[in-house]
Amino acid sequence: MTTEERLRNGEPYAFVALRLPPADSHSLRQGLDKKLSQIHGVTLHVNAHDEWEVRVDGVPCLLLRLTPLTPEPAEKHPAKGRLAIVIDDMGEDVAVARDLAALGVPIAFSIWPDSGHRVQVLNIAQSAGKEIFIHLPMQPKGYPKVAPGPHALLDGMTAERIQEVVRRAASRVPGAVAVNNHMGSAFTESTYGMRAALSAIKGQGLFFLDSRTTAKSVGVAEARRIGLQVHQRDVFLDNDLAVPAIVAQLRVAEAAALKHGHAIAIGHPHKQTVAAIRAWLKKKSPSVHVVTVSSLPPQ
């Protein structure tokens, strides 16, 4: 620890620099964001991936330097494929959230900004160190008969209104690293709408996972155009809610990860999905690792 005296408005104050012990930077940042957000006027600013600054009313007071984690020893069966699993529609069922958090693998929680138990599920995800996504409603085909839910991105919105919706969603899911679409088979085909939405997502410091609810989505192309990190879903897990069917889809995702080096599967917070993942984990190939989406190479 080092301390230096600085001046603000002619008055001296202490500026402290700390070297932190080895830790997972993503989990640490989520925890700090959560704690500091409860203190008025205190914010965390990332100067670099290994250097963070705590400011009070905009004044730098504490510099945190991160020590990287020591790489883990090589495994007996090195992974040949990496599989990321995202669970959409999170924020309503607290019990399922606890069960998912207890599985012991880095499953991402994609949380509805307007879900009834959003805060509780956020706390579960943050306490378990899970990657958090914003599950952002977007207009489907068949709208308005098919409704995506409140505060959705809709065709015909101005760019300014789209940006407002994205900013609101980000404010309601603090600690999120990415956005993926809820429904959106119509909206994600709109170049104008997606360009505005992805620009707003980039402005929030997030990346985008295209759930691929339509084969004609322009999400990946538009994200690449503006230099936004983007991924896309490879497999849906639980269109059929029978546990054996979900396990079979996990096998499909596993095979895709082995073939291509990585894959992304999306499921939903059903008890059957939790049971299927639990069963699959016991018998999955040792050559496949479950990883975070953010650790995968972008599209």
Side-chain angles (χ1 to χ4, degrees), residues 34 91 111 115-126 172:
K34 179 182 177 182
I111 300 175
S115 50
H117 297 288
R118 167 181 55 89
V119 174
Q120 287 172 274
V121 172
L122 262 172
N123 288 338
I124 291 167
Q126 289 170 337
R172 293 180 65 82

Side-chain angles (χ1 to χ4, degrees), residues 26 29-30 33 109 122 126 131-134 169-170 173-179 204-207:
H26 179 67
R29 182 178 176 184
Q30 285 190 329
D33 280 334
F109 283 30
L122 262 172
Q126 289 170 337
E131 199 161 63
I132 297 169
F133 284 27
I134 300 166
V173 189
V177 299
V179 171
Q204 294 296 315
L206 307 169
F207 66 85

Side-chain angles (χ1 to χ4, degrees), residues 7-299:
L7 294 177
R8 183 195 184 195
N9 299 327
E11 295 293 329
Y13 74 95
F15 178 84
V16 178
L18 289 175
R19 169 67 69 177
L20 298 180
D24 173 41
S25 61
H26 179 67
S27 298
L28 179 60
R29 182 178 176 184
Q30 285 190 329
L32 281 172
D33 280 334
K34 179 182 177 182
K35 295 294 184 183
L36 295 179
S37 66
Q38 300 171 3
I39 306 173
H40 180 71
V42 179
T43 54
L44 181 69
H45 294 259
V46 178
N47 298 334
H49 74 279
D50 59 351
E51 188 176 285
W52 303 344
E53 197 171 71
V54 177
R55 300 179 185 178
V56 179
D57 295 329
V59 179
C61 295
L62 176 64
L63 183 68
L64 303 174
R65 293 192 175 97
L66 279 64
T67 302
L69 285 169
T70 302
E72 295 182 2
E75 296 191 24
K76 184 177 180 181
H77 301 284
K80 295 179 182 178
R82 293 179 289 166
L83 176 61
I85 299 174
V86 180
I87 301 298
D88 284 352
D89 300 351
M90 296 294 289
E92 296 293 354
D93 194 321
V94 176
V96 167
R98 291 195 183 103
D99 290 342
L100 286 165
L103 287 175
V105 289
I107 292 173
F109 283 30
S110 191
I111 300 175
W112 271 325
D114 290 280
S115 50
H117 297 288
R118 167 181 55 89
V119 174
Q120 287 172 274
V121 172
L122 262 172
N123 288 338
I124 291 167
Q126 289 170 337
S127 297
K130 301 302 180 187
E131 199 161 63
I132 297 169
F133 284 27
I134 300 166
H135 198 38
L136 186 60
M138 299 184 189
Q139 181 174 327
K141 293 175 181 177
Y143 176 84
K145 186 175 181 180
V146 180
H151 302 285
L153 296 179
L154 304 174
D155 284 345
M157 280 184 170
T158 64
E160 291 75 16
R161 178 59 184 149
I162 289 170
Q163 290 167 1
E164 288 174 5
V165 172
V166 172
R167 286 196 297 268
R168 177 188 180 275
S171 72
R172 293 180 65 82
V173 189
V177 299
V179 171
N180 76 315
N181 51 295
H182 170 64
M183 297 190 177
S185 54
F187 189 86
T188 57
E189 291 184 3
S190 166
T191 298
Y192 174 84
M194 287 301 290
R195 188 169 295 176
L198 294 171
S199 295
I201 288 167
K202 184 177 181 181
Q204 294 296 315
L206 307 169
F207 66 85
F208 181 61
L209 168 63
D210 193 334
S211 300
R212 297 289 292 177
T213 55
T214 170
K216 296 180 181 179
S217 173
V218 299
V220 170
E222 285 303 311
R224 286 173 176 165
R225 193 187 67 81
I226 66 171
L228 174 65
Q229 179 182 341
V230 63
H231 303 265
Q232 63 181 353
R233 184 268 314 162
D234 296 290
V235 178
F236 275 129
L237 295 178
D238 46 17
N239 289 336
D240 182 337
L241 281 178
V243 171
I246 300 171
V247 172
Q249 285 299 96
L250 284 160
R251 295 290 184 207
V252 171
E254 183 178 355
L258 286 170
K259 181 178 180 180
H260 302 293
H262 55 86
I264 297 173
I266 290 180
H268 299 84
H270 305 298
K271 292 180 180 179
Q272 298 95 319
T273 303
V274 178
I277 295 172
R278 186 181 293 116
W280 170 76
L281 285 171
K282 294 176 182 177
K283 297 183 178 181
K284 76 171 181 66
S285 167
S287 294
V288 171
H289 270 180
V290 181
V291 299
T292 59
V293 177
S294 61
S295 71
L296 298 177
Q299 294 290 323

